[in-house]
Amino acid sequence: MNWGGEAIWEAVAPLLPGFTGEVLPQVDSTNTELMRRARAGRIEPVLLVAESQTAGRGRLGRGWASAPGDSLTFSLGLPLAPADWAGLSLAVGVTIAEQLHPLVRLKWPNDLWVDDRKLAGILIETANAGTHSLPRHAVIGVGINVRQPKAEGLSTAPAAVDELLAGTDAPGVLARIAKPLVESVLAFQTFGFAPFHARFDSRDALRDRAVVLSDGTAGTAHGVTDTGGLLVHTAAGMTTVTSAEVSVRPA
Ligand code: BTN
């Protein structure tokens, strides 16, 4: 598969000195691989694409399964020192959504949705980048369904980019998002979540909807705070959720 690596490198290298792009036919997980490298002291900026993953990982210990060609799976690894890490996954999600289609919405904190069906997920991990704690090494993993996968065993069929952009393939999706993603991560490092707040709001899939937190608390979602926490109005009043998994209450 031709990944257009040269064009991506030319676009990204001026933003990230020392940047390399790499495509592996197969790896356990691009996040796991970049975390291994970071722990071994290999902390140069890299965008690692896998054509297939044998142990793709999602948030909260879940897996991320994808068949070769059906999805784009990559991780961006780089040293990063934001004042506050909260909101990074929202900034990443906003950026990818904007590069794909107006119908792509964001389900706090890490998912991209189309019509309440999952299009993409984000898994951000950090490692210490050496003896000093700053900057840390960030591994920003992204999995995007590009073609409709076989939906056996899934209660709701996931969404795929080719519903929105006919004929797109995984390299085409990567070519759209690589440079804007790096620009946004660097902007987040400098300015935090502020430049992304209104953009998140305009794509917020949960706003004004009934939600149930993973601890069972019910409420209504009311957007996000300046640092990317989810505002939920519950029986106890307005609360800010910073890490709990939130799901939309079934109708
Ligand atoms: C989620 O939906 O919970 C997050 C899914 C993240 C999947 C991507 S695929 C590339 C990178 N490598 C992984 O093992 N996971 C992320």
Side-chain angles (χ1 to χ4, degrees), residues 1-14 19-23 47 49 171-172 174-175 178:
M1 200 177 272
N2 178 3
W3 284 89
E6 187 80 357
I8 291 173
W9 184 83
E10 279 175 13
V12 172
F19 172 79
T20 55
E22 194 179 331
V23 179
L47 194 153
V49 179
L174 182 65

mmCIF file of all heavy atoms in Angstrom, residues 1-14 19-23 47 49 171-172 174-175 178:
data_model
loop_
_atom_site.group_PDB
_atom_site.id
_atom_site.type_symbol
_atom_site.label_atom_id
_atom_site.label_comp_id
_atom_site.label_asym_id
_atom_site.label_seq_id
_atom_site.Cartn_x
_atom_site.Cartn_y
_atom_site.Cartn_z
ATOM 1 N N MET A 1 0.855 -1.204 0.000
ATOM 2 C CA MET A 1 0.000 0.000 0.000
ATOM 3 C C MET A 1 0.886 1.247 0.000
ATOM 4 O O MET A 1 1.876 1.302 0.722
ATOM 5 C CB MET A 1 -0.893 -0.012 1.255
ATOM 6 C CG MET A 1 -2.105 0.874 1.145
ATOM 7 S SD MET A 1 -3.179 0.755 2.604
ATOM 8 C CE MET A 1 -4.220 -0.618 2.156
ATOM 9 N N ASN A 2 0.531 2.235 -0.822
ATOM 10 C CA ASN A 2 1.314 3.471 -0.872
ATOM 11 C C ASN A 2 0.755 4.469 0.143
ATOM 12 O O ASN A 2 -0.370 4.949 0.002
ATOM 13 C CB ASN A 2 1.255 4.052 -2.292
ATOM 14 C CG ASN A 2 2.023 5.366 -2.377
ATOM 15 O OD1 ASN A 2 2.644 5.801 -1.400
ATOM 16 N ND2 ASN A 2 1.974 6.009 -3.531
ATOM 17 N N TRP A 3 1.540 4.802 1.142
ATOM 18 C CA TRP A 3 1.076 5.664 2.230
ATOM 19 C C TRP A 3 1.412 7.137 2.029
ATOM 20 O O TRP A 3 1.161 7.941 2.925
ATOM 21 C CB TRP A 3 1.636 5.169 3.560
ATOM 22 C CG TRP A 3 0.912 3.949 4.025
ATOM 23 C CD1 TRP A 3 1.220 2.651 3.728
ATOM 24 C CD2 TRP A 3 -0.280 3.915 4.812
ATOM 25 N NE1 TRP A 3 0.287 1.817 4.294
ATOM 26 C CE2 TRP A 3 -0.640 2.562 4.969
ATOM 27 C CE3 TRP A 3 -1.079 4.901 5.401
ATOM 28 C CZ2 TRP A 3 -1.768 2.167 5.689
ATOM 29 C CZ3 TRP A 3 -2.195 4.501 6.127
ATOM 30 C CH2 TRP A 3 -2.532 3.152 6.259
ATOM 31 N N GLY A 4 2.014 7.483 0.890
ATOM 32 C CA GLY A 4 2.329 8.900 0.658
ATOM 33 C C GLY A 4 3.234 9.468 1.719
ATOM 34 O O GLY A 4 3.106 10.624 2.118
ATOM 35 N N GLY A 5 4.164 8.632 2.179
ATOM 36 C CA GLY A 5 5.011 9.013 3.312
ATOM 37 C C GLY A 5 5.830 10.273 3.067
ATOM 38 O O GLY A 5 6.011 11.088 3.973
ATOM 39 N N GLU A 6 6.301 10.417 1.832
ATOM 40 C CA GLU A 6 7.145 11.568 1.507
ATOM 41 C C GLU A 6 6.394 12.884 1.733
ATOM 42 O O GLU A 6 6.893 13.811 2.355
ATOM 43 C CB GLU A 6 7.587 11.455 0.033
ATOM 44 C CG GLU A 6 8.596 12.472 -0.386
ATOM 45 C CD GLU A 6 10.011 12.108 0.036
ATOM 46 O OE1 GLU A 6 10.217 11.063 0.714
ATOM 47 O OE2 GLU A 6 10.901 12.869 -0.293
ATOM 48 N N ALA A 7 5.152 12.933 1.230
ATOM 49 C CA ALA A 7 4.356 14.174 1.344
ATOM 50 C C ALA A 7 4.056 14.470 2.813
ATOM 51 O O ALA A 7 4.094 15.633 3.243
ATOM 52 C CB ALA A 7 3.065 14.043 0.546
ATOM 53 N N ILE A 8 3.756 13.423 3.578
ATOM 54 C CA ILE A 8 3.468 13.636 5.005
ATOM 55 C C ILE A 8 4.716 14.150 5.719
ATOM 56 O O ILE A 8 4.667 15.096 6.501
ATOM 57 C CB ILE A 8 2.931 12.334 5.649
ATOM 58 C CG1 ILE A 8 1.530 12.044 5.088
ATOM 59 C CG2 ILE A 8 2.908 12.436 7.174
ATOM 60 C CD1 ILE A 8 0.949 10.718 5.512
ATOM 61 N N TRP A 9 5.846 13.524 5.409
ATOM 62 C CA TRP A 9 7.092 13.954 6.041
ATOM 63 C C TRP A 9 7.392 15.420 5.703
ATOM 64 O O TRP A 9 7.742 16.219 6.573
ATOM 65 C CB TRP A 9 8.245 13.040 5.599
ATOM 66 C CG TRP A 9 9.521 13.375 6.303
ATOM 67 C CD1 TRP A 9 9.903 12.949 7.544
ATOM 68 C CD2 TRP A 9 10.549 14.247 5.830
ATOM 69 N NE1 TRP A 9 11.122 13.500 7.876
ATOM 70 C CE2 TRP A 9 11.538 14.301 6.839
ATOM 71 C CE3 TRP A 9 10.730 14.989 4.661
ATOM 72 C CZ2 TRP A 9 12.683 15.056 6.708
ATOM 73 C CZ3 TRP A 9 11.881 15.749 4.539
ATOM 74 C CH2 TRP A 9 12.842 15.781 5.542
ATOM 75 N N GLU A 10 7.211 15.777 4.421
ATOM 76 C CA GLU A 10 7.486 17.166 4.010
ATOM 77 C C GLU A 10 6.572 18.155 4.723
ATOM 78 O O GLU A 10 6.960 19.282 5.007
ATOM 79 C CB GLU A 10 7.334 17.314 2.488
ATOM 80 C CG GLU A 10 8.560 16.840 1.757
ATOM 81 C CD GLU A 10 8.394 16.853 0.248
ATOM 82 O OE1 GLU A 10 7.425 17.453 -0.248
ATOM 83 O OE2 GLU A 10 9.236 16.228 -0.424
ATOM 84 N N ALA A 11 5.351 17.728 5.004
ATOM 85 C CA ALA A 11 4.399 18.632 5.670
ATOM 86 C C ALA A 11 4.677 18.744 7.167
ATOM 87 O O ALA A 11 4.511 19.815 7.757
ATOM 88 C CB ALA A 11 2.967 18.130 5.450
ATOM 89 N N VAL A 12 5.113 17.649 7.767
ATOM 90 C CA VAL A 12 5.214 17.618 9.234
ATOM 91 C C VAL A 12 6.620 17.964 9.743
ATOM 92 O O VAL A 12 6.750 18.605 10.799
ATOM 93 C CB VAL A 12 4.763 16.236 9.771
ATOM 94 C CG1 VAL A 12 5.040 16.110 11.257
ATOM 95 C CG2 VAL A 12 3.283 16.005 9.478
ATOM 96 N N ALA A 13 7.656 17.576 9.003
ATOM 97 C CA ALA A 13 9.028 17.758 9.506
ATOM 98 C C ALA A 13 9.343 19.215 9.880
ATOM 99 O O ALA A 13 10.017 19.450 10.882
ATOM 100 C CB ALA A 13 10.045 17.211 8.503
ATOM 101 N N PRO A 14 8.859 20.214 9.116
ATOM 102 C CA PRO A 14 9.156 21.596 9.526
ATOM 103 C C PRO A 14 8.537 21.964 10.882
ATOM 104 O O PRO A 14 9.015 22.875 11.555
ATOM 105 C CB PRO A 14 8.529 22.447 8.414
ATOM 106 C CG PRO A 14 8.408 21.533 7.240
ATOM 107 C CD PRO A 14 8.172 20.163 7.816
ATOM 108 N N PHE A 19 11.463 14.639 13.009
ATOM 109 C CA PHE A 19 10.290 13.792 12.770
ATOM 110 C C PHE A 19 10.575 12.691 11.747
ATOM 111 O O PHE A 19 11.212 12.925 10.734
ATOM 112 C CB PHE A 19 9.140 14.664 12.258
ATOM 113 C CG PHE A 19 7.936 13.879 11.800
ATOM 114 C CD1 PHE A 19 7.037 13.372 12.720
ATOM 115 C CD2 PHE A 19 7.713 13.653 10.452
ATOM 116 C CE1 PHE A 19 5.928 12.644 12.297
ATOM 117 C CE2 PHE A 19 6.600 12.933 10.024
ATOM 118 C CZ PHE A 19 5.716 12.431 10.949
ATOM 119 N N THR A 20 10.073 11.496 12.035
ATOM 120 C CA THR A 20 10.104 10.423 11.040
ATOM 121 C C THR A 20 8.708 9.798 10.952
ATOM 122 O O THR A 20 7.939 9.821 11.911
ATOM 123 C CB THR A 20 11.096 9.292 11.404
ATOM 124 O OG1 THR A 20 10.785 8.812 12.712
ATOM 125 C CG2 THR A 20 12.531 9.762 11.346
ATOM 126 N N GLY A 21 8.425 9.259 9.780
ATOM 127 C CA GLY A 21 7.190 8.500 9.581
ATOM 128 C C GLY A 21 7.571 7.055 9.307
ATOM 129 O O GLY A 21 8.609 6.786 8.718
ATOM 130 N N GLU A 22 6.748 6.146 9.781
ATOM 131 C CA GLU A 22 7.095 4.728 9.646
ATOM 132 C C GLU A 22 5.809 3.919 9.459
ATOM 133 O O GLU A 22 4.817 4.167 10.151
ATOM 134 C CB GLU A 22 7.800 4.308 10.938
ATOM 135 C CG GLU A 22 8.515 2.996 10.881
ATOM 136 C CD GLU A 22 9.202 2.685 12.221
ATOM 137 O OE1 GLU A 22 9.589 3.629 12.961
ATOM 138 O OE2 GLU A 22 9.321 1.492 12.530
ATOM 139 N N VAL A 23 5.839 2.966 8.533
ATOM 140 C CA VAL A 23 4.692 2.086 8.327
ATOM 141 C C VAL A 23 5.139 0.653 8.580
ATOM 142 O O VAL A 23 6.138 0.202 8.009
ATOM 143 C CB VAL A 23 4.146 2.193 6.890
ATOM 144 C CG1 VAL A 23 2.962 1.253 6.704
ATOM 145 C CG2 VAL A 23 3.743 3.624 6.565
ATOM 146 N N LEU A 47 5.561 9.241 13.630
ATOM 147 C CA LEU A 47 4.198 8.832 13.333
ATOM 148 C C LEU A 47 4.292 7.392 12.842
ATOM 149 O O LEU A 47 4.907 7.121 11.809
ATOM 150 C CB LEU A 47 3.579 9.740 12.267
ATOM 151 C CG LEU A 47 2.063 9.621 12.112
ATOM 152 C CD1 LEU A 47 1.494 10.938 11.581
ATOM 153 C CD2 LEU A 47 1.669 8.502 11.181
ATOM 154 N N VAL A 49 2.452 4.050 11.642
ATOM 155 C CA VAL A 49 1.221 3.482 11.088
ATOM 156 C C VAL A 49 1.363 1.970 11.078
ATOM 157 O O VAL A 49 2.437 1.444 10.764
ATOM 158 C CB VAL A 49 1.009 3.968 9.634
ATOM 159 C CG1 VAL A 49 -0.249 3.353 9.037
ATOM 160 C CG2 VAL A 49 0.943 5.479 9.576
ATOM 161 N N PRO A 171 -4.718 5.451 3.559
ATOM 162 C CA PRO A 171 -3.703 6.484 3.306
ATOM 163 C C PRO A 171 -4.315 7.847 3.001
ATOM 164 O O PRO A 171 -3.763 8.884 3.381
ATOM 165 C CB PRO A 171 -2.939 5.934 2.085
ATOM 166 C CG PRO A 171 -3.133 4.456 2.155
ATOM 167 C CD PRO A 171 -4.529 4.269 2.686
ATOM 168 N N GLY A 172 -5.463 7.858 2.334
ATOM 169 C CA GLY A 172 -6.131 9.129 2.034
ATOM 170 C C GLY A 172 -6.581 9.839 3.304
ATOM 171 O O GLY A 172 -6.480 11.066 3.416
ATOM 172 N N LEU A 174 -5.188 9.428 6.294
ATOM 173 C CA LEU A 174 -3.977 9.878 6.987
ATOM 174 C C LEU A 174 -3.448 11.170 6.354
ATOM 175 O O LEU A 174 -3.023 12.088 7.075
ATOM 176 C CB LEU A 174 -2.900 8.789 6.956
ATOM 177 C CG LEU A 174 -1.620 9.147 7.704
ATOM 178 C CD1 LEU A 174 -1.888 9.302 9.200
ATOM 179 C CD2 LEU A 174 -0.525 8.092 7.465
ATOM 180 N N ALA A 175 -3.477 11.231 5.021
ATOM 181 C CA ALA A 175 -2.978 12.428 4.334
ATOM 182 C C ALA A 175 -3.780 13.662 4.738
ATOM 183 O O ALA A 175 -3.234 14.758 4.858
ATOM 184 C CB ALA A 175 -3.047 12.229 2.818
ATOM 185 N N ALA A 178 -2.779 14.187 9.062
ATOM 186 C CA ALA A 178 -1.462 14.156 9.730
ATOM 187 C C ALA A 178 -0.981 15.552 10.128
ATOM 188 O O ALA A 178 -0.662 15.802 11.305
ATOM 189 C CB ALA A 178 -0.435 13.452 8.852
#
